[in-house]
Amino acid sequence: MTEATMKRTPLYAAHVALGARMVPFAGYEMPVQYEGVLAEHRWTREHAGLFDVSHMGQAKLRGAAPLASFEKLVPGDYIGLKEGKQRYSVLLSAEGGILDDLMAGRPDGDGLYVVVNAACKDADFALIERELGAETSLERLEDRALLAIQGPEAVDVMVQHEPKLAELGFMECGVFELFGAKCFVSRSGYTGEDGYEISIPADKAEAAWNALLADARVKAIGLGARDSLRLEAGLPLYGHDADETTSPVEAALTFALSKRRKEARDFKGAERIMAELGGAASRVRVGLSVLEGAPAREGAEIADAEGKVVGKVTSGGPSPTLGRNIAMGYVPPSLSALGTRLNVIVRGKSQAAEVVATPFVAQRYFRKTATA
């Protein structure tokens, strides 16, 4: 895209006013950083970071049976999804590859609210519309912005605006009156920290953004720190750590396959995916600790102990929290056990690495206890 055809979110002017460094991302001009990636990463881990994710695709599915219709496209249990809950899932191709990953929930009794990745949203929504059938309609919510507030102090900030938000647990959602508008709010995010995502009418977004930033615990955070935070949390980035050639089994996303759907084998690509669950996968996503040398970034080759190339890094970089280099990538299942010693090839040099558990940094989602 040329600069003239780049899209802007409703918060573009607010980012520029804060001195953000703007970069092209998924067809939008987006803030990559304000004061610096390292500082913003650490602020989010210690306080509350505010992200503009309005470039994501938002939609509502409505009709006679939107939940059943949606199950034609994903391997999760949405017929059983209760109001006030949301789930992570993946759009599957007929071959069992991941076309996109997404969140879908029921903040109210009005159909299903879906959020998809920015780079995929046009293709996703076209696919959904084609396959839903006449009984269900898709409404793109082009007039809404999306904010994410993440970090250990996010809940304390948000309850100043609506005390009931403290009652939400991880992956719960609802409709709340916030900043003078009807908002869809979920207790979720993609940083590994506790926090909320807030869908708000576009014409109210800047006022909400400024109101949240008026709190000393909150700072604006760019895409740079968002990426380093999600890497530490072991969360895949679509188009990098997963794509249409990758199955949920290979991508280590088997939690998105519900028990009922696996038993029924009634989702796209079920033959391949069930075979891979039975041990037929040729590769699997793993976490790597890079034990020496420079960071191993996307595209770096992974080699076994004898030097044979066995896979590639899909995400990688320094971990500000751990003070060492980490990465994710794909290797054969035989080399995926924790503690397996491997090598990463960085600028032609072989560097020692080890398979480690993910998340690299413990996730701090707020999960309700059984008695809560």
Side-chain angles (χ1 to χ4, degrees):
M1 278 191 172
T2 65
E3 187 173 335
T5 61
M6 295 289 288
K7 298 178 183 178
R8 293 174 175 177
T9 76
L11 292 168
Y12 175 84
H15 299 315
V16 172
L18 287 172
R21 178 184 161 206
M22 306 299 288
V23 299
F25 183 81
Y28 285 78
E29 291 184 77
M30 296 294 292
V32 68
Q33 65 180 51
Y34 300 86
E35 59 181 295
V37 172
L38 182 61
E40 292 168 29
H41 181 111
R42 288 176 172 165
W43 185 271
T44 305
R45 287 277 185 245
E46 296 168 6
H47 303 287
L50 183 61
F51 302 79
D52 176 15
V53 287
S54 304
H55 58 312
M56 305 284 276
Q58 302 180 65
K60 268 289 189 95
L61 305 186
R62 298 184 176 94
L67 306 182
S69 296
F70 192 60
E71 284 199 0
K72 298 176 183 177
L73 301 158
V74 299
D77 179 3
Y78 280 91
I79 290 175
L81 186 66
K82 296 180 180 178
E83 188 173 329
K85 302 285 187 179
Q86 75 171 17
R87 288 194 176 127
Y88 173 92
S89 197
V90 290
L91 282 177
L92 292 174
S93 69
E95 296 75 32
I98 300 172
L99 299 175
D100 198 8
D101 61 347
L102 56 86
M103 290 284 193
R106 298 184 64 199
D108 52 25
D110 181 24
L112 187 69
Y113 170 65
V114 180
V115 180
V116 301
N117 283 304
C120 305
K121 62 184 178 182
D122 291 334
D124 288 355
F125 291 150
L127 172 69
I128 292 170
E129 283 190 301
R130 280 199 310 271
E131 302 208 14
L132 283 177
E135 72 275 13
T136 303
S137 64
L138 179 143
E139 178 191 355
R140 294 182 63 151
L141 305 179
E142 303 279 15
D143 60 345
R144 299 188 78 86
L146 190 64
L147 311 182
I149 183 166
Q150 304 278 289
E153 293 182 339
V155 61
D156 297 324
V157 172
M158 291 304 296
V159 297
Q160 300 299 310
H161 300 277
E162 174 49 78
K164 290 181 181 178
L165 289 173
E167 300 170 11
L168 291 182
F170 179 57
M171 298 297 275
E172 292 185 338
C173 56
V175 177
F176 298 88
E177 194 72 23
L178 287 169
F179 313 109
K182 176 184 174 182
C183 297
F184 306 138
V185 182
S186 66
R187 197 159 186 176
S188 63
Y190 222 61
T191 64
E193 291 290 338
D194 186 19
Y196 300 87
E197 292 197 345
I198 307 157
S199 172
I200 186 169
D203 60 357
K204 301 287 186 180
E206 189 166 353
W209 176 265
N210 291 333
L212 289 167
L213 288 179
D215 192 308
R217 296 168 289 191
V218 183
K219 286 188 177 182
I221 310 297
L223 293 177
R226 184 174 174 84
D227 191 53
S228 58
L229 288 159
R230 69 91 196 164
L231 174 59
E232 287 188 343
L235 301 171
L237 179 64
Y238 188 76
H240 301 263
D241 304 294
D243 59 31
E244 62 185 86
T245 71
T246 316
S247 76
V249 179
E250 293 173 327
L253 297 174
T254 53
F255 65 88
L257 309 170
S258 77
K259 180 180 178 181
R260 174 176 65 81
R261 304 297 303 283
K262 286 187 290 185
E263 290 174 347
R265 299 181 177 226
D266 63 349
F267 52 88
K268 290 187 175 185
E271 183 177 354
R272 169 191 176 181
I273 290 169
M274 296 306 295
E276 289 180 347
L277 284 172
S282 62
R283 57 178 178 168
V284 65
R285 180 171 63 93
V286 298
L288 295 170
S289 177
V290 180
L291 304 176
E292 60 185 8
R297 303 194 183 272
E298 180 178 0
E301 293 179 325
I302 303 171
D304 63 16
E306 284 71 48
K308 178 185 176 183
V309 173
V310 294
K312 279 192 176 182
V313 169
T314 52
S315 287
S319 164
T321 304
L322 300 176
R324 56 184 169 86
N325 295 323
I326 58 175
M328 295 191 295
Y330 284 82
V331 299
S334 60
L335 296 175
S336 66
L338 300 183
T340 301
R341 296 300 290 262
L342 297 168
N343 297 286
V344 290
I345 313 302
V346 180
R347 294 193 289 273
K349 181 180 179 182
S350 181
Q351 301 176 183
E354 181 180 356
V355 177
V356 296
T358 57
F360 300 97
V361 174
Q363 296 167 348
R364 297 196 284 188
Y365 306 129
F366 176 69
R367 301 182 189 273
K368 290 182 177 179
T369 62
T371 57

